[in-house]
């Protein structure tokens, strides 16, 4: 999809389909009225007959109205229109256009103006969100299908009567966001047969070069030299050996009070459970167990693309968790880089083992903020489903900043507690400093978070994101669907840019 922005009177558009947003309270607004003027009668009739009245997520397609097609899309009540309404509207519009086999559209962005001057979200945020909705909906992962017909390119023109510079910038940001989300989705959707630690590292190097970001990869001897016993332990059952991937973005002109942001990601390229083998049903989904890492890679690239004023690094612990004669066994004790020892009571609780080393390593550079993301626990899926990610951490102000970044991107997050009692439970090993599972199945996500906190040094501001639910199957979103979602990528970059 190609989106261009032009200054032009909407009435003069010559594209074959005109696309217009309609709020339910449209009559109050002079600018909207202007954009909709030629269609006032039509809209009235539709509304009177209860066919279309501007309700959220609704669309109405008029074929060949005075020689052109018109697609109306609803935005609901102007005063409660969050950017997410525009993002979903973009997706709904895309679906209608595909269904109607339309290839060339003009969008009246002036129709996004609300009566009270875009209260709730700024006008450019509306444009960006709508463009994101359109772009994110175009995603497909069909490279392994032999008989797919390439879908026709949709030519999109955003028309605005006045100043278009902010609109152009909003569209550019939306494009950057969609590209980054697609990188995360592609990495995660790749099967376990093609993405394993070495290929993930190669792909990271390729992407880093493309985005002008530094990339360094530690192989097994280097990981051993770093004494990363957690990462080595998890990876030792597989012939696909582990890698530790480091991406570094530095702004060309860093501001004086720039904040160092560190992202840490779990990238288990396939999680079979190891010797504590998972049941067969849905085990294939565990190709996505590297989504946390994939999201972090994409987030650094996005921050770089957006010329983030803060330096941002990503530390990705990549391993394949397999059962074999060389695999770790339940009862194994691992020596982590931090010096702490862990008794492995279940080899399927492997994410926290690799993250213990990655968190420790990431803190060497003394970041101001450190965020890890991981498809860490099945418990978070039970608690929250695929709607949102869980967050937890040791700095409430930081988490509040993160939640307000998420407010802008529409990506849902929900905070879980990290009570001392959870930590005490994880410290319950009879022979080591920590054990990798709790005494029972209760509070699995918080206990996993409490475990990770043991590798966060005094004074570090840290937050953990459990994306086991949100990383794929976000079927409730019109712009995501089955497969990997890339949920979190946009918020991570937004946080890094705004902190
Ligand atoms: N990768 C899984 C978590 C997971 C489960 C992600 C379902 C997405 C969907 C993780 O490594 C794991 O297996 N965790 C165990 C921990 C338990 C043994 C304490 C779990 O959640 O069952
Ligand atoms: Zn596991
Ligand atoms: Zn896992």
């Amino acid at each position: 999809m190609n989106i261009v922005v032009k200054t032009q009177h909407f009435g003069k558009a010559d594209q074959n389909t005109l696309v217009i947003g309609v709020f339910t309270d449209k009559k109050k607004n002079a600018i909207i009225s202007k954009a909709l003027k030629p269609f006032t009668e039509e809209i009235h009739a539709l509304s009177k007959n209860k066919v279309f009245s501007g309700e959220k997520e609704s669309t109405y397609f008029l074929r060949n109205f005075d020689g052109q097609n018109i697609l109306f899309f609803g935005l609901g009540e102007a005063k409660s229109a969050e950017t997410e309404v525009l993002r979903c509207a973009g997706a709904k519009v895309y679906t209608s256009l595909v269904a109607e086999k339309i290839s060339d559209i003009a969008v009246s962005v002036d129709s996004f103006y609300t009566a009270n001057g875009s209260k709730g979200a700024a006008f450019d945020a509306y444009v960006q969100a709508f463009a994101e909705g359109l772009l994110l909906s175009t995603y497909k992962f069909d490279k392994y299908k032999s008989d797919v017909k390439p879908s026709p390119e949709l030519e999109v023109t955003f028309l605005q009567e006045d100043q278009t510079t902010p609109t152009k910038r909003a569209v550019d940001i939306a494009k950057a966001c969609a590209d980054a989300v697609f990188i995360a989705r592609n990495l995660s959707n790749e099967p376990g047969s093609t993405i394993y630690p070495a290929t993930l590292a190669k792909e990271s190097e390729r992407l880093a070069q493309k985005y002008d970001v530094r990339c360094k990869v530690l192989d097994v001897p280097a990981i051993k030299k770093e004494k990363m016993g957690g990462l080595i332990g998890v990876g030792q059952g597989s012939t696909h050996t582990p890698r530790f991937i480091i991406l570094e973005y530095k702004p060309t002109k860093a501001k004086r009070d720039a904040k160092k942001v560190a992202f840490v990601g779990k990238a288990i390229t396939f999680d079979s459970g190891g010797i504590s083998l998972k049941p067969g049903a849905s085990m294939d989904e565990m190709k996505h167990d590297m989504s946390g890492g994939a999201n972090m890679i994409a987030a650094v690239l996005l921050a770089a693309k957006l010329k983030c004023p803060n330096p941002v690094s990503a530390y990705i612990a990549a391993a394949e968790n397999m059962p074999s004669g060389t695999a770790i066994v339940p009862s194994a004790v691992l020596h982590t880089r931090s010096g702490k020892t862990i008794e492995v009571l279940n080899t399927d609780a492997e994410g926290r083992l690799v993250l213990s080393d990655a968190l420790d390593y990431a803190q060497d550079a003394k970041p101001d903020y450190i965020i890890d993301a991981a498809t860490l626990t099945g418990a978070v899926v039970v608690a929250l489903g695929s709607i949102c990610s869980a967050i937890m951490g040791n700095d409430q102000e930081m988490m509040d900043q993160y939640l307000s970044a998420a407010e802008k991107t529409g990506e849902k997050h929900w905070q879980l507690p990290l009570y001392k009692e959870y930590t005490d439970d994880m410290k319950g090993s009879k022979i080591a400093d920590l054990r990798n599972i709790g005494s029972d199945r209760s509070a699995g996500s918080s206990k996993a978070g409490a475990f990770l906190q043991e590798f966060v040094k005094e004074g570090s501001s840290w937050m953990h994101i459990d994306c086991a639910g949100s990383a794929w199957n976000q079927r409730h979103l019109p712009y995501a669907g089955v497969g990997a979602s890339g949920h979190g990528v946009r918020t991570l970059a937004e946080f890094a840019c705004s902190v």
Side-chain angles (χ1 to χ4, degrees), residues 381-393:
V381 193
V382 175
L384 304 172
S386 67
I387 312 296
C388 67
S389 291
I391 65 165
M392 47 206 107

Side-chain angles (χ1 to χ4, degrees), residues 266 268 271 278 286 289 321 348-351 375-376:
K266 165 182 173 181
I268 299 300
D271 181 12
K278 285 181 183 293
M286 284 302 124
D289 209 21
N321 188 21
D348 196 11
E350 82 299 337
T375 47
L376 204 60

Side-chain angles (χ1 to χ4, degrees), residues 156-211:
V156 179
T157 311
F158 280 12
L159 291 184
Q160 198 174 357
E161 297 208 2
D162 49 12
Q163 235 255 47
T164 50
T165 316
T167 304
K168 281 191 176 127
R169 181 162 161 70
V171 170
D172 286 344
I173 296 174
K175 281 180 187 159
C177 286
D179 287 346
V181 169
F182 290 0
I183 286 172
R185 288 182 185 175
N186 281 340
L187 286 172
S188 182
N189 282 331
E190 275 296 333
S193 54
T194 57
I195 286 277
Y196 41 90
T199 52
L200 181 64
K202 273 270 162 296
E203 190 55 12
S204 304
E205 280 168 343
R206 187 186 71 78
L207 289 164
Q209 201 165 31
K210 190 170 162 202
Y211 278 77

Side-chain angles (χ1 to χ4, degrees), residues 131-247:
E132 281 172 6
L134 281 174
L135 290 162
L136 289 171
S137 306
T138 64
Y139 183 78
K140 280 203 201 92
F141 190 78
D142 54 11
K143 63 190 271 200
Y144 296 112
K145 294 246 184 217
S146 6
D147 58 352
V148 280
K149 291 183 199 78
S151 38
E153 274 289 304
L154 181 63
E155 286 295 325
V156 179
T157 311
F158 280 12
L159 291 184
Q160 198 174 357
E161 297 208 2
D162 49 12
Q163 235 255 47
T164 50
T165 316
T167 304
K168 281 191 176 127
R169 181 162 161 70
V171 170
D172 286 344
I173 296 174
K175 281 180 187 159
C177 286
D179 287 346
V181 169
F182 290 0
I183 286 172
R185 288 182 185 175
N186 281 340
L187 286 172
S188 182
N189 282 331
E190 275 296 333
S193 54
T194 57
I195 286 277
Y196 41 90
T199 52
L200 181 64
K202 273 270 162 296
E203 190 55 12
S204 304
E205 280 168 343
R206 187 186 71 78
L207 289 164
Q209 201 165 31
K210 190 170 162 202
Y211 278 77
D212 204 11
V213 160
R214 271 191 52 189
C215 182
K216 190 176 157 191
V217 176
L218 307 190
D219 58 6
V220 173
I223 295 169
K224 282 191 173 151
K225 215 169 144 204
E226 286 292 339
K227 299 194 163 50
M228 294 181 167
L231 182 55
I232 289 292
V234 172
Q236 76 187 38
S238 173
T239 48
H240 290 135
T241 54
R243 295 290 184 276
F244 191 70
I245 306 162
I246 304 155
L247 294 172

Side-chain angles (χ1 to χ4, degrees), residues 41-303:
E41 258 177 57
E42 199 61 39
I43 294 176
H44 265 300
L46 290 173
S47 182
K48 214 172 115 194
N49 301 331
K50 298 200 168 30
V51 179
F52 174 82
S53 52
E55 294 301 330
K56 267 189 261 186
E57 305 212 358
S58 65
T59 55
Y60 190 78
F61 188 75
L62 271 172
R63 192 169 281 281
N64 206 354
F65 180 88
D66 258 1
Q68 266 169 324
N69 307 317
I70 319 266
L71 177 64
F72 293 119
F73 63 95
L75 291 170
E77 230 194 347
K79 69 170 184 307
S80 62
E82 305 285 340
T83 49
E84 186 64 4
V85 172
L86 276 289
R87 210 170 279 112
C88 292
K92 292 283 173 189
V93 164
Y94 180 75
T95 313
S96 312
L97 295 170
V98 171
E100 302 293 346
K101 297 195 167 52
I102 303 300
S103 57
D104 183 25
I105 64 166
V107 179
S108 160
V109 289
D110 288 321
S111 67
F112 300 168
Y113 275 113
T114 61
N116 36 25
S118 309
K119 199 175 160 197
F123 176 69
D124 354 334
Y126 273 7
V127 176
Q128 184 188 325
F130 183 77
E132 281 172 6
L134 281 174
L135 290 162
L136 289 171
S137 306
T138 64
Y139 183 78
K140 280 203 201 92
F141 190 78
D142 54 11
K143 63 190 271 200
Y144 296 112
K145 294 246 184 217
S146 6
D147 58 352
V148 280
K149 291 183 199 78
S151 38
E153 274 289 304
L154 181 63
E155 286 295 325
V156 179
T157 311
F158 280 12
L159 291 184
Q160 198 174 357
E161 297 208 2
D162 49 12
Q163 235 255 47
T164 50
T165 316
T167 304
K168 281 191 176 127
R169 181 162 161 70
V171 170
D172 286 344
I173 296 174
K175 281 180 187 159
C177 286
D179 287 346
V181 169
F182 290 0
I183 286 172
R185 288 182 185 175
N186 281 340
L187 286 172
S188 182
N189 282 331
E190 275 296 333
S193 54
T194 57
I195 286 277
Y196 41 90
T199 52
L200 181 64
K202 273 270 162 296
E203 190 55 12
S204 304
E205 280 168 343
R206 187 186 71 78
L207 289 164
Q209 201 165 31
K210 190 170 162 202
Y211 278 77
D212 204 11
V213 160
R214 271 191 52 189
C215 182
K216 190 176 157 191
V217 176
L218 307 190
D219 58 6
V220 173
I223 295 169
K224 282 191 173 151
K225 215 169 144 204
E226 286 292 339
K227 299 194 163 50
M228 294 181 167
L231 182 55
I232 289 292
V234 172
Q236 76 187 38
S238 173
T239 48
H240 290 135
T241 54
R243 295 290 184 276
F244 191 70
I245 306 162
I246 304 155
L247 294 172
E248 277 176 339
Y249 157 74
K250 288 205 171 62
T252 33
K253 268 191 270 151
K255 25 175 217 187
R256 244 194 320 128
D257 59 345
K259 298 278 193 286
K260 262 194 212 170
V261 180
F263 292 152
V264 172
K266 165 182 173 181
I268 299 300
T269 56
F270 189 76
D271 181 12
S272 69
I275 295 293
S276 315
L277 194 63
K278 285 181 183 293
S282 307
M283 200 205 266
D284 59 294
E285 290 187 334
M286 284 302 124
K287 71 173 184 178
H288 292 301
D289 209 21
M290 34 75 72
S291 294
N295 288 354
M296 289 317 200
I297 293 168
V300 174
L301 302 177
L302 179 55

Side-chain angles (χ1 to χ4, degrees), residues 52 55 57 79 83 105 131 141 204 207 230 281 283 331 340 355 362 365 380 390 426 430 435 456 458 463 470 478-479:
F52 174 82
E55 294 301 330
E57 305 212 358
K79 69 170 184 307
T83 49
I105 64 166
F141 190 78
S204 304
L207 289 164
M283 200 205 266
S331 82
K340 292 192 180 182
L355 286 173
V380 88
M426 299 311 287
K430 291 190 188 75
R435 56 182 178 195
V456 175
E458 195 62 36
M463 203 185 98
S470 61
Y479 52 85

